[in-house]
Amino acid sequence: MPACLICAAPVGDFISFGRMPIANGFLMPADFDREFFFELKTGYCERCHMVQLTELVDPSKMFHDHYAYFSSISVRMAQHFASFAGMVRERYVTAADPFVVEVGSNDGIMLQHFATAGLRHLGVEPSANVAAAARASGVRTVCRFFDEEAGHEIRKEYGAADAFLGANVICHIPDMHTLIKGVRALLKDDGVFVFEEPYLGDIVSKASYDQIYDEHVYYFSLQSLTPLLAQHEMEVIDVLPQTTHGGSMRYVVAKRGARPVADGVAALRERERAMGLMLPATYQELRRRIEKSRDDLVSLLKELRAAGKRVTGYGATSKSTTVTNYCGIGSDLVEFISDTTPGKQGRYSPGTHIPVVPYDRFVERYPDYAVLFAWNHGDEIVAKEQAFRKAGGQFISYVPNVHVMA
Ligand code: DWN
Ligand code: SAH
């Protein structure tokens, strides 16, 4: 059995999704026969409660100079990060001449708000193409992976940080111990580490298994983060649930004893206990719900196909790579996936090789059904696709179960 990445106890898998390609590895036909695959499988550590991948992909295969995901592609996410930055400035960045660091800063979607306010800031972003986009919009960015060494080096060059931020990135970093050591080394004594990630409680309650893919090494809960942070003399001082990415949790962390702990922390601990997040049986049940979701989706798509309906995909998300490969959905069931990201268009989906086409193709000739692979942006998408619905088109979602959206 593989060893837990956090506490080294043996961890068994509760599910395997089988052979899986790189989630964001949209590719050209010339590369089909040298596509990389690994086994996507997930385990729950009964000792430290961390849900995690039990086979890892080398980060350099995922984060490089042609990373496919540009954060600013969603208008709602841009608004969300404006508000995240505002909250950090208001509550935690109150000292004179503050310094803010963000890891996984991508195209600068959040840090630009610190940059335009004239505050000292630094993005740490290993994917060179998105880092270049951030620099082009005035966000100071270094192109590297953050680790312990980076924490020491940044402190030496820029001084200690008031706030260390991350969104949808901390769960991407396999060595959490060196990460936290780096954060500790870089933060002022009363500095804060604020990060938000897809929340395990939402994944379990919605059976949103598509959050599981190579980049997401961990599926955090308060219960699993608490002992990990304690080993490094840090603690969670506040928890703020978010609706983004299908349900996320924002954790505010400080050095132990440096700041008061909000009441919400104990309340969330209780809720997690009540939800059974610390019970192995919860994950066995989750596996059964995931298998049912797969079977229901495949049956529905086959039925529609047999009835002569046209079905396309909406949003070539990383998450869709797990769904299409696990369910065995190819272009026989989903004609194409439309996406607004220029770098994904004209390529093919990882593993199942469904054509990824510009958004215009969807509008030119509406399908009968569109599988909402970007279900986490459902509000934004449904609001702007009134014409599709008026033309008789319907969205299919598989969260929290497979259904045609009303
Ligand atoms: O954690 C991660 C999150 C933040 O972003 C990364 N590991 C990778 C990535 O995950 P994802 O690809 O599942 O993220 P999204 O935000 O669900 O991707 C949405 C996709 O849908 C993008 O390719 C853009 C596209 N899209 C579209 O075509 N029309 C999105 C919207 C809102 C639209 O209206
Ligand atoms: N924060 C953005 C981007 C999330 S995608 C948002 O929420 O939209 C994850 C990002 O983390 C990618 O841009 C990737 O290049 C970056 N990343 C991955 N490993 C990292 C590491 N060790 N240090 C810093 N950034 C990392």
Side-chain angles (χ1 to χ4, degrees), residues 296-309 311 333:
D296 289 351
L297 183 59
V298 172
S299 305
L300 175 62
L301 295 178
K302 284 187 172 161
E303 259 170 48
L304 294 174
R305 185 80 198 160
K309 303 294 183 192
V311 181
L333 294 177

Side-chain angles (χ1 to χ4, degrees), residues 69 172 213 215-216 318-319 339-340 344 376-377 384:
Y69 186 71
H172 297 53
Y213 54 89
E215 294 183 21
H216 291 176
S318 325
K319 298 182 289 291
D339 196 286
T340 50
K344 294 182 185 176
N376 47 308
H377 301 297
K384 73 180 173 201

Side-chain angles (χ1 to χ4, degrees), residues 205-401:
S205 67
K206 297 172 188 159
S208 45
Y209 70 89
D210 58 349
Q211 292 290 1
I212 300 174
Y213 54 89
D214 52 4
E215 294 183 21
H216 291 176
V217 177
Y218 298 108
Y219 307 86
F220 294 138
S221 60
L222 177 63
Q223 204 61 43
S224 60
L225 285 168
T226 301
L228 166 62
L229 289 162
Q231 276 184 58
H232 300 277
E233 293 180 23
M234 298 192 85
E235 62 186 352
V236 176
I237 60 160
D238 208 353
V239 282
L240 303 157
Q242 307 294 317
T243 55
T244 45
H245 290 300
S248 298
M249 189 62 70
R250 184 177 299 163
Y251 304 91
V252 184
V253 171
K255 293 184 181 176
R256 187 156 57 213
R259 286 174 178 265
V261 178
D263 294 343
V265 177
L268 180 62
R269 191 161 290 128
E270 262 324 296
R271 281 209 300 285
E272 290 188 350
R273 208 178 294 282
M275 273 187 338
L277 291 187
M278 277 78 71
L279 301 175
T282 298
Y283 302 97
Q284 296 304 328
E285 173 60 17
L286 178 61
R287 177 175 51 72
R288 285 190 285 274
R289 288 161 60 214
I290 293 171
E291 286 165 357
K292 177 167 173 11
S293 175
R294 172 196 60 193
D295 296 347
D296 289 351
L297 183 59
V298 172
S299 305
L300 175 62
L301 295 178
K302 284 187 172 161
E303 259 170 48
L304 294 174
R305 185 80 198 160
K309 303 294 183 192
R310 277 186 68 224
V311 181
T312 68
Y314 198 109
T317 55
S318 325
K319 298 182 289 291
S320 68
T321 296
T322 296
V323 176
T324 53
N325 284 275
Y326 175 57
C327 301
I329 298 169
S331 53
D332 51 332
L333 294 177
V334 169
E335 193 179 309
F336 59 69
I337 306 176
S338 61
D339 196 286
T340 50
T341 314
K344 294 182 185 176
Q345 298 163 356
R347 292 181 169 261
Y348 292 78
S349 72
T352 55
H353 305 159
I354 302 170
V356 179
V357 304
Y359 172 65
D360 294 354
R361 279 278 299 281
F362 170 74
V363 180
E364 273 158 19
R365 196 171 143 242
Y366 285 134
D368 299 300
Y369 294 87
V371 182
L372 192 52
F373 288 126
W375 59 271
N376 47 308
H377 301 297
D379 290 352
E380 176 174 350
I381 292 169
V382 170
K384 73 180 173 201
E385 296 303 349
Q386 294 301 323
F388 168 56
R389 313 254 279 189
K390 280 207 183 89
Q394 285 180 290
F395 282 112
I396 293 170
S397 179
Y398 43 84
V399 180
N401 45 48

Side-chain angles (χ1 to χ4, degrees), residues 87-128:
M87 170 274 198
V88 170
R89 282 188 62 193
E90 213 169 277
R91 291 199 198 174
Y92 301 112
V93 182
T94 48
D97 189 27
F99 176 45
V100 175
V101 175
E102 186 190 351
V103 273
S105 42
N106 200 275
D107 57 11
I109 189 168
M110 173 147 67
L111 271 188
Q112 60 177 311
H113 299 286
F114 295 93
T116 50
L119 299 182
R120 288 193 302 127
H121 64 277
L122 185 69
V124 184
E125 173 50 68
S127 298

Side-chain angles (χ1 to χ4, degrees), residues 1-301:
M1 262 199 258
C4 171
L5 297 165
I6 303 295
C7 77
V11 180
D13 305 317
F14 64 85
I15 191 164
S16 168
F17 296 93
R19 224 168 79 97
M20 200 56 67
I22 299 287
N24 264 313
F26 297 91
L27 72 175
M28 299 303 280
D31 297 318
F32 285 175
D33 58 3
R34 37 182 171 158
E35 194 169 8
F36 170 85
F37 288 90
F38 68 105
E39 186 184 350
L40 181 66
K41 43 192 179 138
T42 317
Y44 164 69
C45 176
E46 292 185 32
R47 191 203 276 168
C48 76
H49 310 298
M50 188 64 85
V51 175
Q52 57 196 278
L53 297 186
T54 54
E55 184 174 327
L56 299 187
V57 172
D58 185 336
S60 66
K61 280 194 157 50
M62 302 181 279
F63 311 116
H64 34 53
D65 59 3
H66 52 282
Y67 184 57
Y69 186 71
F70 281 71
S71 302
S72 298
I73 210 84
S74 154
V75 175
R76 293 273 173 93
M77 289 312 295
Q79 292 163 351
H80 171 78
F81 283 117
S83 122
F84 188 158
M87 170 274 198
V88 170
R89 282 188 62 193
E90 213 169 277
R91 291 199 198 174
Y92 301 112
V93 182
T94 48
D97 189 27
F99 176 45
V100 175
V101 175
E102 186 190 351
V103 273
S105 42
N106 200 275
D107 57 11
I109 189 168
M110 173 147 67
L111 271 188
Q112 60 177 311
H113 299 286
F114 295 93
T116 50
L119 299 182
R120 288 193 302 127
H121 64 277
L122 185 69
V124 184
E125 173 50 68
S127 298
N129 59 329
V130 293
R135 285 193 201 107
S137 50
V139 174
R140 184 169 203 149
T141 308
V142 286
C143 188
R144 68 183 291 178
F145 287 92
F146 185 85
D147 53 16
E148 186 178 358
E149 202 186 341
H152 286 287
E153 284 177 18
I154 295 169
R155 180 171 182 141
K156 216 162 154 196
E157 195 175 339
Y158 298 86
D162 297 77
F164 185 95
L165 311 178
N168 310 301
V169 57
I170 303 304
C171 71
H172 297 53
I173 302 181
D175 192 343
M176 286 292 292
H177 292 292
T178 61
L179 165 83
I180 298 170
K181 284 183 190 162
V183 175
R184 242 195 104 78
L186 179 51
L187 278 183
K188 286 182 178 168
D189 286 345
D190 65 348
V192 287
F193 172 24
V194 189
F195 63 102
E196 66 182 38
E197 313 285 316
Y199 178 53
L200 179 66
D202 285 289
I203 296 173
V204 168
S205 67
K206 297 172 188 159
S208 45
Y209 70 89
D210 58 349
Q211 292 290 1
I212 300 174
Y213 54 89
D214 52 4
E215 294 183 21
H216 291 176
V217 177
Y218 298 108
Y219 307 86
F220 294 138
S221 60
L222 177 63
Q223 204 61 43
S224 60
L225 285 168
T226 301
L228 166 62
L229 289 162
Q231 276 184 58
H232 300 277
E233 293 180 23
M234 298 192 85
E235 62 186 352
V236 176
I237 60 160
D238 208 353
V239 282
L240 303 157
Q242 307 294 317
T243 55
T244 45
H245 290 300
S248 298
M249 189 62 70
R250 184 177 299 163
Y251 304 91
V252 184
V253 171
K255 293 184 181 176
R256 187 156 57 213
R259 286 174 178 265
V261 178
D263 294 343
V265 177
L268 180 62
R269 191 161 290 128
E270 262 324 296
R271 281 209 300 285
E272 290 188 350
R273 208 178 294 282
M275 273 187 338
L277 291 187
M278 277 78 71
L279 301 175
T282 298
Y283 302 97
Q284 296 304 328
E285 173 60 17
L286 178 61
R287 177 175 51 72
R288 285 190 285 274
R289 288 161 60 214
I290 293 171
E291 286 165 357
K292 177 167 173 11
S293 175
R294 172 196 60 193
D295 296 347
D296 289 351
L297 183 59
V298 172
S299 305
L300 175 62
L301 295 178

